[in-house]
Each structure stands twice: as structure tokens, then as C-alpha cells.
Amino acid sequence: MSYIISYDLGTTGNKATLFKNDGKLLASVFHPYETNYFNINWVEQDPNEWYESVKISTQKLFKLSKINSDDVKVISFSGQMMGTVPIDRNGNPLRPAIIWADQRSITQADRLKKLGDEKVYSITGSRITPTYAGPKISWIKDNEPDVYSNAFKFLFTKDFIIYKLTGIAGTDFSDASLSLIFDIRKKQWSAELAEILNIDIGKLPEVSASTSIVGTVIPSVASELGLSEKTLVVRGAGDGSAATIGAGVFDSCEAYVYLGSSSWISTCTSEPFFDSKARTFNFCYPIPDFYCPTGTMQSGGGSYQWAKNALCQFEEKLAKELNLNVYSIMDDLVDSTNPGAKGLIFLPYLMGERSPHWNVNAKGAFIGLSVMHNKNDMLRAVLEGVSFNLKMILDVFEKSGGYNFKKIRLIGGGAKGRNWRQIIADVFQKPIAVAKFPEEATSIGAAIIGGIGTKIITINDAKNFVKDLCLVEPRSMYFERYEKMYEIFQKSYYSLLESFDLLAKID
């Protein structure tokens, strides 16, 4: 029997998951690490904690499953995208990683505007934004020249771990394609864009397919983690790309919604989709010659997590006393509310916004709050606000891009919320398939990539890894109400643009 271990290095921690080559999920272990927020839009993590989480989760996985390490034929990876960590030749990080949510490199990103927004979009498949790795590397060069000059390579999250395991520096097409320095059609680093950002291409990793075999695990590291020295290491993909294949999206007839800290809608196509207003972007699919047109919002599940922290201290205490998940108790509170939350709108722009607005100054807001509203209404408004913003992204694909998705699958931790599933179905007015293992889709994708890369499975076998829990049908009785709320939601953002900009100037 052959086994695959996949590692999903997300924003809050690493998940190590064990699969049989027939797609059966055998065990999953999560180990958290810290995220440091400071200076408003600065967000960093310690890469050494990533490695420690891989070590601990691997050891726990073997203890849980009791399988022989020799039977693990391959390990593969997915990881949070768009961040960067500079390393020396020994694989030691020279500073904390600047992760995806960080937006400090506004000045550096703006340098690309001299080439023109449309030109950059046509080369990279993405619009100019400080959230991508290229501007962040440029920021390091401008502000921490010693770190830059001593850097051997600038790596993405999963690739840092792979270097620690194999001693080989590299990345895959998907992670590279969300850097603003990669030509998405030519599949190579763009010398033109790197020059504008004043980045030495020699400090960027070699790029290959997600399914490429990197090598085997260094003996000393294999011993430390409990892996066999014969275990093959497959490059893997960025989390968005891995999630796409892990969500069972193999063509443009289907799409999926990911409800995690950030949230997005994505599909799979043979060509990039270039929106006329650049509201969406593209990155590479794990299988070569395919792409993932995507629209990502900054704070999807993160908005509901904020609501939990800000509004639900009592529920958190109760959940601990009853040994329950606090989100289940919050679902009970939302049960007492009605669609539309009594006319309450929530703008989920707690960390600025990417799709569809691309505005780092955007802020969160409750619109229409009155003495008639209570905490339960506010919780529903948060769920609906995120859903409305996702609906705006869906409209870009279907109304501007000509897509017609026959099925939309819901993945991520938010997919477990019974009210949120129904709200999305009602707002989208589409059937929503809920994945059986909604929090494992990215891990499933990484496992599929590893299996295909080592020829343990085929692309047809990959479909056995994807299973649905249920199908949520939209309720037509709420169509008109949500259409009205959706229109107000969109107008509310534009009405507050000046206020957002003024607030951004206040220290």
C-alpha cells in the first residue's frame, strides 16, 4: 500500500494529512504558529515556526496512524501565497517572513505603474498591488539592504520548507505567478518587471511544474521528522492552486468558493481570463498549461473571526465550559434572525480589499445600525456582507467573463457553518455543493499533486479524492430581498470612499 503525506502551510498553522493512494483520508494533524500584526498593514511570521510545525505534525501523524515510514512514497506541499522569506545558503531565514496580508510595499508596487497598469496585467495576469511578493522583495532591498545583499534566495512559504528538507531551492508556476515579476504566458521570470523593482533575478528560485519531483529528504532531516530517506518530495503548489484541484474543479464548468481567513472564488481554464477592469487575477493551475482565474477578498472568514472576538466573549466562555465549537453556538444565534438582518449591511473590508475593489484604504463598517438590532443580527450581517462581496466576484466571471458555472463547491472552515452555506446559496441563487472534508481541500489538492507527480495516481484517479457532504439549494423566496440588499451593499462602499481615504491619513 502506498501513502501520501501532504502539508498545507496556511496562515494560522500547518496541517499534515495522510492519504492512501485510493483517496481515503486516514489522519490529519494541525499545529499552529504565531502571526505578528503591527504598523497597521505589516504582517509577519517566523519561518522557523513553519519548520517546527512540520516536524511536530509529522511525528504526530505517524503516532496516530501507526504506519511504517517506508510506506510513505511521497510528500507534497501547499502553502500560503504572495509572501517572501529571504534565506542564506544554509536555509536560515535572514528576517521574518512578510506574508500575504502585508501591504507595506505600496511605494515599491507603484513603481510598476510607469510601465502601465494594463501592460503589467497583460504580462502577469494580475493587477499592481503591494500584497504580492515582488514589491515586498523590493521593499526589503530599499529598507533592509544588508538582508537583501546577504540573501541567497527569496522563497515562498512551502519552498522554504522544501529547501530545509532537500537543500534544493525552487518554486512552482503557481506561486511564481502571484509575484508581479512572472510572465504568466511564457512561464518565466520577467526581466522587465524585475528591473523596474530593482530585483536581481539571480536571487529568485528556479521555477518548475507543481508536479515535479524535487528529490528525497536529507537523511538527518528524515531522521528528525520520522520520514524515510527514500521518501520523494514533490514541489506542490500555492494554496489557491492546490485548493482548486482539491475542490474537484477540473474545467471551467465548475467553480469553488473558499471560506478561510481570506476568501475567494476560482475556476480552471485553458487560458487566463483578463477582466476589462482588472478586478480579478490569474495564477497557474497545478497541471501544466492550465490557469486559475480568481477573485480574492482580504477578510472573508477573517471577518467572522473578528465578529467572534469582538462580540462573542460570552459564547466563547460557554463553548469552553460545554466543550463545544464557539461557531456552532454562533450558528444558533443566527438561527433567530431573518435574511437581510433587519436592513443591516456589513462591509467586510477589515484589512483593505482586493477583489473587486483593490483598495488598501477600504475599511469595515456596519451600515443601517439601529436600536432594533442586536448581536444576532450583526452576526448575520457579517455572514451576508462577505457573501455579497463574493457575489460581486461571481458577477465579474459570469456577467463580464461569460462563464456559466453549473456547480459551485464550498470549501474551507466557513463551509461547516449551516447558516453560511444557505446564505451563499440564497445570495448566489445557485446550488452549493459542500465538500465532505471542507477544511482538507487544500491538503487533498497537495496530495493529488504529489500522487500525479510520482505517477501513483492519474488525473482520473484524482476525482476519487473529492467527496461531497450535501447539496444546498437556493431558496427563491429570498431572491428579491437579497437583490435589494446586494444593491445597497455595493452603493454603500462607493458612498464611503472619501471617508476611507481621509481615515487612512490619520495616524
Side-chain angles (χ1 to χ4, degrees):
M1 180 59 65
S2 297
Y3 297 93
I4 304 168
I5 293 179
S6 66
Y7 298 92
D8 176 22
L9 293 143
T11 304
T12 58
N14 168 59
K15 183 179 293 181
T17 309
L18 179 68
F19 295 89
K20 287 173 67 175
N21 64 338
D22 62 0
K24 184 177 180 181
L25 190 157
L26 298 178
S28 183
V29 173
F30 179 80
H31 187 81
Y33 36 74
E34 293 295 320
T35 301
N36 299 310
Y37 298 87
F38 52 101
N39 283 8
I40 302 178
N41 285 329
W42 292 27
V43 192
E44 298 182 350
Q45 291 180 342
D46 181 355
N48 291 316
E49 290 189 18
W50 300 343
Y51 180 73
E52 189 69 13
S53 73
V54 168
K55 181 175 72 173
I56 292 172
S57 60
T58 304
Q59 294 168 347
K60 287 183 177 179
L61 206 56
F62 279 115
K63 186 175 181 180
L64 272 175
S65 64
K66 296 181 172 57
I67 67 165
N68 191 311
S69 62
D70 288 333
D71 292 329
V72 176
K73 302 304 180 185
V74 57
I75 59 176
S76 184
F77 295 84
S78 69
Q80 53 177 299
M81 306 174 78
M82 302 183 298
T84 189
V85 54
I87 64 164
D88 62 21
R89 287 186 177 273
N90 295 318
N92 299 311
L94 298 173
R95 71 169 327 281
I98 303 177
I99 71 167
W100 63 270
D102 191 286
Q103 299 182 67
R104 74 183 69 180
S105 55
I106 295 172
T107 299
Q108 290 72 27
D110 283 348
R111 290 173 186 160
L112 292 169
K113 291 182 178 178
K114 80 176 196 177
L115 190 61
D117 293 329
E118 291 185 9
K119 178 69 172 178
V120 173
Y121 191 56
S122 69
I123 295 172
T124 66
S126 296
R127 62 185 295 147
I128 298 170
T129 168
T131 58
Y132 287 7
K136 290 169 182 173
I137 296 171
S138 185
W139 184 92
I140 291 173
K141 182 165 188 178
D142 289 348
N143 295 275
E144 299 173 354
D146 289 345
V147 171
Y148 182 87
S149 63
N150 291 325
F152 164 53
K153 296 290 181 183
F154 286 87
L155 298 180
F156 298 98
T157 305
K158 73 178 191 319
D159 304 311
F160 169 78
I161 298 299
I162 291 173
Y163 190 84
K164 297 284 283 187
L165 266 58
T166 66
I168 299 172
T171 192
D172 79 300
F173 296 132
S174 69
D175 256 332
S177 62
L178 283 193
S179 66
L180 275 184
I181 43 177
F182 189 75
D183 190 313
I184 197 168
R185 292 186 183 276
K186 295 179 179 178
K187 302 285 184 68
Q188 63 186 32
W189 298 114
S190 168
E192 185 176 23
L193 296 175
E195 182 179 3
I196 293 172
L197 290 173
N198 202 19
I199 294 172
D200 178 4
I201 285 185
K203 290 182 180 291
L204 302 176
E206 183 178 339
V207 190
S208 60
S210 301
T211 51
S212 60
I213 297 174
V214 179
T216 54
V217 184
I218 295 169
S220 60
V221 177
S223 176
E224 184 179 25
L225 271 62
L227 292 166
S228 166
E229 297 175 20
K230 298 178 182 178
T231 303
L232 294 172
V233 179
V234 166
R235 177 61 63 185
D239 56 5
S241 185
T244 306
I245 198 167
V249 176
F250 298 99
D251 58 48
S252 60
C253 292
E254 297 186 355
Y256 75 97
V257 172
Y258 174 79
L259 287 177
S261 298
S262 61
S263 295
W264 62 76
I265 297 178
S266 187
T267 187
C268 167
T269 62
S270 58
E271 291 290 333
F273 164 57
F274 294 98
D275 175 49
S276 60
K277 298 180 181 178
R279 291 167 293 184
T280 57
F281 57 94
N282 302 270
F283 52 85
C284 294
Y285 189 70
I287 306 302
D289 301 322
F290 287 90
Y291 300 87
C292 299
T294 304
T296 301
M297 55 184 297
Q298 282 283 91
S299 187
S303 290
Y304 204 44
Q305 184 180 40
W306 167 83
K308 170 183 70 71
N309 295 337
L311 303 173
C312 297
Q313 291 91 343
F314 172 77
E315 286 74 19
E316 286 197 274
K317 181 180 178 181
L318 181 63
K320 289 180 180 178
E321 292 174 355
L322 299 177
N323 195 27
L324 295 174
N325 186 314
V326 63
Y327 290 107
S328 295
I329 297 177
M330 291 165 66
D331 242 346
D332 293 340
L333 299 182
V334 177
D335 283 341
S336 68
T337 66
N338 293 317
K342 300 176 190 169
L344 183 62
I345 293 283
F346 175 73
L347 300 183
Y349 308 132
L350 301 179
M351 297 177 64
E353 189 53 291
R354 285 185 276 172
S355 298
H357 301 303
W358 298 92
N359 182 356
V360 297
N361 290 339
K363 297 289 185 289
F366 282 102
I367 312 295
L369 190 64
S370 74
V371 294
M372 295 177 58
H373 294 108
N374 58 28
K375 174 168 61 180
N376 304 358
D377 298 316
M378 295 172 76
L379 292 176
R380 171 176 276 277
V382 171
L383 296 177
E384 291 177 342
V386 175
S387 303
F388 287 142
N389 202 76
L390 289 168
K391 164 71 169 166
M392 292 179 71
I393 298 170
L394 180 67
D395 282 351
V396 172
F397 287 126
E398 295 202 323
K399 294 183 178 180
S400 299
Y403 294 91
N404 182 20
F405 301 125
K406 297 177 181 177
K407 181 190 288 186
I408 295 180
R409 184 171 280 109
L410 193 61
I411 65 171
K416 295 190 294 185
R418 63 178 181 274
N419 280 297
W420 214 348
R421 300 172 186 172
Q422 188 64 63
I423 288 169
I424 290 175
D426 291 345
V427 169
F428 286 14
Q429 280 297 297
K430 286 180 178 288
I432 301 295
V434 180
K436 184 176 181 180
F437 302 109
E439 293 183 285
E440 305 290 351
T442 310
S443 300
I444 290 170
I448 290 171
I449 294 165
I452 291 174
T454 53
K455 296 182 171 54
I456 292 175
I457 65 171
T458 66
I459 191 69
N460 287 329
D461 297 329
K463 297 175 182 179
N464 295 326
F465 283 68
V466 183
K467 299 174 177 63
D468 287 336
L469 174 69
C470 62
L471 186 71
V472 180
E473 296 287 350
R475 300 174 296 183
S476 58
M477 68 185 77
Y478 297 116
F479 170 74
E480 187 174 344
R481 180 180 303 179
Y482 272 136
E483 281 290 293
K484 291 179 180 177
M485 294 294 288
Y486 178 51
E487 182 180 354
I488 297 169
F489 173 85
Q490 294 177 82
K491 289 181 177 179
S492 296
Y493 166 80
Y494 291 108
S495 297
L496 290 170
L497 278 176
E498 183 180 1
S499 296
F500 293 154
D501 291 339
L502 291 172
L503 286 170
K505 296 176 182 177
I506 297 177
D507 294 332

